[in-house]
Amino acid sequence: MARPIEFDRPKAVNRALVLFWRQGYQATSLADLLAALGIGRSSFYAAFTDKQSLFIECLDLFAARTVQLLQRARTEMPPVDALQSFFERNFIGARGAGAVRGHWGCMLVNTVLEMSGVDDELAARASDHLTEMQCIFQACLQDAGATPARAEELAAMLMLFNEGIRVSSRRRLPDAQHLQPLATTFRLIRSAIA
């Protein structure tokens, strides 16, 4: 009879997510994962099958949490304000422990950059999650009064901005260098909808 797994799986997945987000897939070794999760090799394989399976679980969890942040903002404020707040609160103006994470960029964008041409399956999975985010952007813009065609166009522009600002955040620039282009982007979005 197999011994039961003796660790808190959700906490372990969260630790792995942070490690993959900070270091990337390729730079995170099995030894790194075992140390971060505080488990042995056999427990790791019994719980997660392999590094790639764990990474996919973490990537999907990161995407789900990101969608939840945006959906929560949509319930608290008007649609375009929710989009702007999503960027300001969660990626640019974070303080404390979140400020460090803000310099890690976005796990989805990082994965596309790191894995394109290396592991196209992982890159495509991250890209699919980004497409889902773009669809949410589009829905917000339609809720704000944009025609479907204009909402699609603006959502595509906003996703390009999203990807760029996530890469730029890894440069550790002062917040002001991100906040001004963010304000300009949303001023243009508001005028395009009006």
Side-chain angles (χ1 to χ4, degrees):
M1 185 168 135
R3 223 172 79 190
I5 298 170
E6 299 178 9
F7 66 95
D8 185 329
R9 192 176 196 289
K11 283 185 182 177
V13 170
N14 196 59
R15 286 186 191 123
L17 184 154
V18 169
L19 191 61
F20 282 131
W21 184 9
R22 188 177 70 233
Q23 295 182 184
Y25 178 75
Q26 296 178 94
T28 302
S29 68
L30 180 59
D32 293 336
L33 288 166
L34 296 177
L37 278 54
I39 60 175
R41 187 178 297 264
S42 61
S43 293
F44 176 85
Y45 287 117
F48 304 112
T49 308
D50 58 24
K51 176 181 161 181
Q52 184 178 32
S53 297
L54 176 57
F55 182 79
I56 288 169
E57 185 174 344
C58 293
L59 194 66
D60 292 348
L61 179 60
F62 183 92
R65 288 178 177 172
T66 303
V67 168
Q68 288 172 348
L69 290 172
L70 184 50
Q71 297 292 24
R72 186 176 324 126
R74 286 182 77 186
T75 65
E76 296 171 355
M77 57 193 76
V80 177
D81 292 346
L83 287 170
Q84 186 167 352
S85 173
F86 172 74
F87 284 94
E88 288 173 350
R89 290 190 310 181
N90 300 300
F91 305 109
I92 306 303
R95 298 286 178 242
V100 172
R101 290 182 179 182
H103 294 301
W104 299 346
C106 167
M107 189 175 177
L108 302 174
V109 173
N110 294 348
T111 300
V112 171
L113 292 171
E114 176 188 11
M115 302 311 291
S116 291
V118 175
D119 185 326
D120 290 332
E121 179 186 340
L122 291 179
R125 191 175 195 104
S127 182
D128 289 346
H129 285 306
L130 290 169
T131 298
E132 178 187 5
M133 288 300 304
Q134 185 170 327
C135 289
I136 296 170
F137 294 167
Q138 185 174 338
C140 284
L141 294 163
Q142 282 185 246
D143 290 348
T147 65
R150 178 54 55 99
E152 182 178 4
E153 175 185 59
L154 292 173
M157 180 191 80
L158 192 53
M159 180 51 72
L160 286 175
F161 177 80
N162 176 55
E163 292 167 352
I165 204 162
R166 307 283 191 121
V167 172
S168 179
S169 71
R170 295 185 66 107
R171 293 177 55 204
R172 299 177 185 261
L173 299 172
D175 284 350
Q177 288 186 354
H178 289 113
L179 291 172
Q180 184 56 51
L182 180 64
T184 301
T185 298
F186 279 93
R187 189 172 59 251
L188 293 170
I189 287 172
R190 283 182 172 87
S191 68
I193 293 173

